[in-house]
Coordinates of all heavy atoms in Angstrom, one line a residue:
I284 N -29.5 119.9 37.9 CA -29.1 121.3 37.9 C -28.9 121.9 36.5 O -28.8 121.1 35.6 CB -27.8 121.5 38.8 CG1 -26.7 120.8 38.0 CG2 -28.0 121.0 40.2 CD1 -25.3 121.1 38.6
S285 N -28.9 123.2 36.4 CA -28.7 123.9 35.1 C -27.2 123.7 34.8 O -26.3 124.1 35.6 CB -29.1 125.3 35.2 OG -28.8 126.0 34.0
S286 N -26.9 123.2 33.6 CA -25.5 123.0 33.2 C -25.4 123.0 31.7 O -26.4 122.7 31.0 CB -24.9 121.7 33.8 OG -23.6 121.5 33.4
N287 N -24.3 123.2 31.1 CA -24.1 123.0 29.7 C -23.3 121.7 29.4 O -22.8 121.5 28.3 CB -23.3 124.2 29.1 CG -22.0 124.4 29.7 OD1 -21.6 123.6 30.6 ND2 -21.3 125.4 29.2
Y288 N -23.2 120.8 30.5 CA -22.5 119.6 30.3 C -23.4 118.5 31.1 O -23.6 118.5 32.3 CB -21.1 119.6 31.0 CG -20.3 118.3 30.9 CD1 -19.4 118.2 29.9 CD2 -20.5 117.3 31.8 CE1 -18.7 117.0 29.8 CE2 -19.8 116.1 31.8 CZ -18.9 116.0 30.8 OH -18.2 114.8 30.7
Y289 N -23.8 117.5 30.3 CA -24.5 116.3 30.9 C -23.9 115.1 30.2 O -23.6 115.1 28.9 CB -26.0 116.3 30.6 CG -26.7 117.5 31.3 CD1 -26.9 118.7 30.6 CD2 -27.1 117.5 32.6 CE1 -27.6 119.8 31.1 CE2 -27.7 118.5 33.2 CZ -28.0 119.7 32.5 OH -28.6 120.8 33.1
R290 N -23.7 114.0 30.9 CA -23.1 112.8 30.3 C -23.6 111.6 31.1 O -23.6 111.6 32.3 CB -21.6 112.9 30.3 CG -20.9 111.8 29.4 CD -19.4 112.1 29.4 NE -18.8 111.4 28.2 CZ -17.6 111.5 27.9 NH1 -16.7 112.2 28.6 NH2 -17.1 110.9 26.8
V291 N -24.0 110.6 30.4 CA -24.6 109.4 31.0 C -23.5 108.2 31.0 O -22.9 108.0 29.9 CB -25.9 108.9 30.3 CG1 -26.3 107.6 30.9 CG2 -26.9 110.0 30.4
V292 N -23.3 107.6 32.1 CA -22.5 106.4 32.3 C -23.4 105.3 32.7 O -24.0 105.3 33.8 CB -21.4 106.6 33.3 CG1 -20.6 105.3 33.4 CG2 -20.5 107.8 33.0
V293 N -23.6 104.3 31.8 CA -24.4 103.1 32.2 C -23.6 102.1 32.9 O -22.5 101.8 32.4 CB -25.1 102.5 30.9 CG1 -25.8 101.2 31.3 CG2 -26.1 103.5 30.4
I294 N -24.0 101.6 34.0 CA -23.2 100.7 34.9 C -23.9 99.4 35.0 O -25.1 99.3 35.3 CB -23.0 101.3 36.3 CG1 -22.4 102.7 36.2 CG2 -22.1 100.4 37.1 CD1 -22.4 103.5 37.5
N295 N -23.2 98.3 34.7 CA -23.8 97.0 34.9 C -22.8 96.1 35.6 O -21.6 96.4 35.6 CB -24.1 96.3 33.5 CG -22.9 96.0 32.7 OD1 -22.1 96.9 32.4 ND2 -22.7 94.7 32.4
F296 N -23.3 95.1 36.3 CA -22.4 94.1 36.9 C -22.3 92.8 36.1 O -23.3 92.5 35.5 CB -22.7 93.9 38.4 CG -24.1 93.3 38.6 CD1 -24.4 92.0 38.5 CD2 -25.2 94.2 38.9 CE1 -25.6 91.4 38.7 CE2 -26.4 93.7 39.1 CZ -26.7 92.3 39.0
E297 N -21.2 92.2 36.2 CA -20.9 91.0 35.4 C -21.8 89.9 35.9 O -21.7 89.5 37.1 CB -19.5 90.6 35.5 CG -19.0 89.7 34.4 CD -17.5 89.6 34.4 OE1 -16.8 90.6 34.0 OE2 -17.0 88.6 34.8
E298 N -22.6 89.3 35.1 CA -23.6 88.3 35.5 C -23.1 86.9 35.0 O -22.9 86.7 33.8 CB -25.0 88.5 35.0 CG -25.7 89.7 35.7 CD -27.1 89.8 35.4 OE1 -27.4 90.4 34.3 OE2 -28.0 89.4 36.2
S299 N -23.0 86.0 35.9 CA -22.7 84.6 35.5 C -24.0 83.9 35.2 O -25.1 84.4 35.4 CB -22.0 83.8 36.6 OG -22.8 83.7 37.7
L300 N -23.9 82.7 34.7 CA -25.1 81.9 34.4 C -25.9 81.7 35.7 O -27.2 81.7 35.7 CB -24.7 80.5 33.8 CG -25.9 79.6 33.4 CD1 -26.8 80.3 32.4 CD2 -25.4 78.3 32.9
Q301 N -25.2 81.6 36.9 CA -25.9 81.4 38.1 C -26.7 82.6 38.5 O -27.9 82.6 38.9 CB -24.9 81.1 39.2 CG -25.6 80.9 40.6 CD -24.6 80.8 41.7 OE1 -23.4 81.0 41.6 NE2 -25.0 80.4 42.9
D302 N -26.1 83.8 38.2 CA -26.9 85.1 38.4 C -28.2 85.1 37.6 O -29.2 85.5 38.1 CB -26.0 86.3 38.1 CG -24.8 86.4 39.0 OD1 -24.9 86.0 40.1 OD2 -23.8 86.9 38.5
Q303 N -28.0 84.8 36.3 CA -29.2 84.9 35.4 C -30.3 83.9 35.8 O -31.5 84.2 35.5 CB -28.7 84.6 34.0 CG -27.7 85.7 33.5 CD -27.0 85.3 32.2 OE1 -27.3 84.2 31.6 NE2 -26.0 86.1 31.8
T304 N -30.0 82.8 36.4 CA -31.0 81.8 36.8 C -31.5 82.0 38.2 O -32.4 81.3 38.6 CB -30.5 80.4 36.5 OG1 -29.3 80.2 37.3 CG2 -30.2 80.2 35.0
N305 N -30.8 82.8 39.0 CA -31.2 82.9 40.4 C -31.5 84.4 40.7 O -30.7 85.3 40.8 CB -30.0 82.5 41.3 CG -30.3 82.4 42.8 OD1 -31.0 83.3 43.3 ND2 -29.9 81.4 43.4
Q306 N -32.8 84.7 40.8 CA -33.3 86.0 40.9 C -32.9 86.7 42.2 O -32.5 87.9 42.2 CB -34.9 86.0 40.8 CG -35.5 87.4 40.8 CD -35.1 88.2 39.5 OE1 -35.0 87.6 38.4 NE2 -34.9 89.5 39.6
Q307 N -32.8 85.9 43.3 CA -32.4 86.4 44.6 C -31.0 86.9 44.5 O -30.7 88.0 45.0 CB -32.6 85.4 45.7 CG -32.2 85.8 47.1 CD -33.0 86.9 47.6 OE1 -34.2 86.8 47.6 NE2 -32.4 88.0 48.1
L308 N -30.1 86.1 44.0 CA -28.7 86.5 43.9 C -28.5 87.7 43.0 O -27.8 88.6 43.3 CB -27.9 85.3 43.3 CG -26.4 85.6 43.0 CD1 -25.7 86.0 44.3 CD2 -25.7 84.3 42.4
S309 N -29.3 87.8 41.9 CA -29.2 88.9 41.0 C -29.7 90.2 41.7 O -29.1 91.2 41.5 CB -30.0 88.6 39.7 OG -29.7 89.6 38.7
D310 N -30.8 90.1 42.4 CA -31.3 91.2 43.1 C -30.3 91.7 44.2 O -30.2 92.9 44.4 CB -32.7 90.9 43.8 CG -33.8 90.7 42.7 OD1 -33.6 91.2 41.6 OD2 -34.8 90.1 43.1
D311 N -29.7 90.8 44.9 CA -28.8 91.1 46.0 C -27.6 91.9 45.4 O -27.1 92.9 45.9 CB -28.3 89.9 46.7 CG -29.3 89.3 47.7 OD1 -30.3 90.0 47.9 OD2 -29.1 88.2 48.2
R312 N -27.1 91.4 44.3 CA -25.9 92.0 43.6 C -26.3 93.4 43.2 O -25.6 94.4 43.3 CB -25.5 91.2 42.4 CG -24.7 89.9 42.8 CD -24.2 89.3 41.5 NE -23.6 88.0 41.7 CZ -22.4 87.7 42.2 NH1 -21.6 88.7 42.4 NH2 -22.0 86.5 42.4
S313 N -27.5 93.6 42.6 CA -28.0 94.9 42.2 C -28.1 95.8 43.3 O -27.7 97.0 43.2 CB -29.3 94.7 41.4 OG -29.8 95.9 41.0
N314 N -28.8 95.4 44.4 CA -29.0 96.3 45.6 C -27.6 96.7 46.1 O -27.4 97.9 46.5 CB -29.8 95.6 46.6 CG -31.2 95.4 46.2 OD1 -31.8 96.1 45.4 ND2 -31.9 94.4 46.8
L315 N -26.7 95.8 46.3 CA -25.4 96.1 46.8 C -24.6 97.0 45.9 O -23.8 97.9 46.4 CB -24.6 94.9 47.2 CG -25.2 94.0 48.3 CD1 -24.5 92.7 48.5 CD2 -25.1 94.8 49.7
S316 N -24.7 96.8 44.6 CA -24.0 97.7 43.7 C -24.5 99.1 43.8 O -23.7 100.0 43.8 CB -24.3 97.2 42.2 OG -23.7 95.9 42.0
Y317 N -25.8 99.3 43.9 CA -26.4 100.6 44.1 C -25.9 101.2 45.4 O -25.5 102.4 45.4 CB -27.9 100.5 44.1 CG -28.5 101.9 44.3 CD1 -28.7 102.7 43.2 CD2 -28.9 102.4 45.5 CE1 -29.3 104.0 43.3 CE2 -29.5 103.6 45.7 CZ -29.7 104.4 44.5 OH -30.2 105.7 44.7
E318 N -25.9 100.5 46.5 CA -25.4 101.0 47.8 C -24.0 101.5 47.7 O -23.6 102.5 48.2 CB -25.6 100.0 48.9 CG -27.0 99.7 49.3 CD -27.7 101.0 49.8 OE1 -27.0 101.7 50.6 OE2 -28.8 101.2 49.5
W319 N -23.1 100.7 47.0 CA -21.7 101.0 46.9 C -21.5 102.3 46.0 O -20.8 103.2 46.4 CB -21.0 99.8 46.3 CG -19.5 100.1 46.1 CD1 -18.8 100.5 45.0 CD2 -18.5 100.1 47.2 NE1 -17.5 100.6 45.3 CE2 -17.3 100.4 46.6 CE3 -18.5 99.8 48.6 CZ2 -16.1 100.5 47.3 CZ3 -17.4 99.9 49.3 CH2 -16.2 100.2 48.7
L320 N -22.2 102.3 44.9 CA -22.1 103.4 44.0 C -22.6 104.7 44.7 O -22.0 105.8 44.5 CB -22.9 103.2 42.7 CG -22.3 102.1 41.8 CD1 -23.4 101.7 40.8 CD2 -21.1 102.6 41.1
K321 N -23.7 104.6 45.4 CA -24.2 105.8 46.1 C -23.2 106.3 47.1 O -23.0 107.5 47.3 CB -25.6 105.4 46.8 CG -26.3 106.6 47.4 CD -27.6 106.2 48.0 CE -27.4 105.3 49.2 NZ -28.7 105.0 49.9
K322 N -22.6 105.4 47.8 CA -21.6 105.7 48.8 C -20.4 106.5 48.2 O -19.9 107.4 48.8 CB -21.1 104.5 49.5 CG -20.1 104.7 50.6 CD -19.7 103.4 51.2 CE -18.6 103.6 52.3 NZ -18.1 102.3 52.9
Q323 N -20.0 106.1 47.0 CA -18.9 106.7 46.3 C -19.2 108.0 45.6 O -18.3 108.7 45.2 CB -18.3 105.7 45.3 CG -17.9 104.3 45.9 CD -16.8 104.4 46.9 OE1 -15.9 105.1 46.8 NE2 -17.0 103.8 48.1
L324 N -20.5 108.2 45.3 CA -20.9 109.3 44.5 C -20.4 110.7 44.9 O -19.8 111.4 44.2 CB -22.4 109.3 44.4 CG -23.0 110.0 43.2 CD1 -22.6 109.3 41.9 CD2 -24.5 110.0 43.3
N325 N -20.7 111.0 46.2 CA -20.3 112.3 46.7 C -18.8 112.5 46.8 O -18.3 113.6 46.7 CB -20.9 112.5 48.1 CG -22.4 112.6 48.0 OD1 -23.0 113.0 47.0 ND2 -23.1 112.3 49.1
Q326 N -18.1 111.4 47.0 CA -16.6 111.5 47.1 C -16.0 111.7 45.7 O -14.9 112.4 45.6 CB -16.1 110.2 47.7 CG -16.6 109.8 49.0 CD -16.1 108.5 49.5 OE1 -15.1 107.9 49.0 NE2 -16.8 107.9 50.5
Q327 N -16.5 111.2 44.7 CA -15.9 111.2 43.4 C -16.5 112.2 42.3 O -15.8 112.7 41.5 CB -15.8 109.8 42.7 CG -15.2 108.8 43.6 CD -13.7 108.9 43.7 OE1 -13.1 109.8 43.0 NE2 -13.0 108.1 44.5
F328 N -17.8 112.4 42.4 CA -18.5 113.1 41.3 C -19.4 114.2 41.9 O -20.5 113.9 42.4 CB -19.3 112.2 40.5 CG -18.5 111.0 39.9 CD1 -18.8 109.7 40.4 CD2 -17.5 111.2 39.0 CE1 -18.1 108.7 39.9 CE2 -16.8 110.2 38.5 CZ -17.1 108.9 38.9
K329 N -19.0 115.5 41.9 CA -19.8 116.5 42.4 C -21.0 116.7 41.4 O -20.9 116.7 40.2 CB -19.0 117.8 42.4 CG -19.7 119.0 43.0 CD -18.8 120.2 43.1 CE -19.6 121.4 43.8 NZ -18.7 122.6 43.9
H330 N -22.2 116.8 42.0 CA -23.4 116.9 41.3 C -23.8 115.7 40.4 O -24.6 115.7 39.6 CB -23.5 118.1 40.4 CG -23.3 119.4 41.1 ND1 -24.1 119.8 42.1 CD2 -22.3 120.4 41.1 CE1 -23.7 121.0 42.6 NE2 -22.6 121.3 42.0

């Protein structure tokens, strides 16, 4: 949308050595993080 305020927040999840060596686990965490963030978006951050 048109605005005079834009700000980027980069979000990462804490990865253990197991996460880094297990692609399935890392993908699952990533997908669930996105689902959770999307669910919270409308409640906390308008636009």
Side-chain angles (χ1 to χ4, degrees):
I284 63 171
S285 176
S286 175
N287 60 359
Y288 179 98
Y289 299 95
R290 194 172 199 178
V291 175
V292 180
V293 171
I294 306 168
N295 69 299
F296 58 84
E297 198 169 289
E298 290 188 279
S299 64
L300 183 60
Q301 182 186 11
D302 293 331
Q303 297 168 4
T304 57
N305 190 317
Q306 188 64 38
Q307 179 66 49
L308 176 57
S309 190
D310 289 344
D311 284 352
R312 288 186 188 275
S313 179
N314 292 335
L315 291 172
S316 296
Y317 180 82
E318 288 299 319
W319 181 259
L320 290 166
K321 185 176 68 172
K322 179 180 177 182
Q323 303 300 314
L324 202 61
N325 292 334
Q326 301 175 16
Q327 302 289 356
F328 307 112
K329 186 176 182 180
H330 300 300

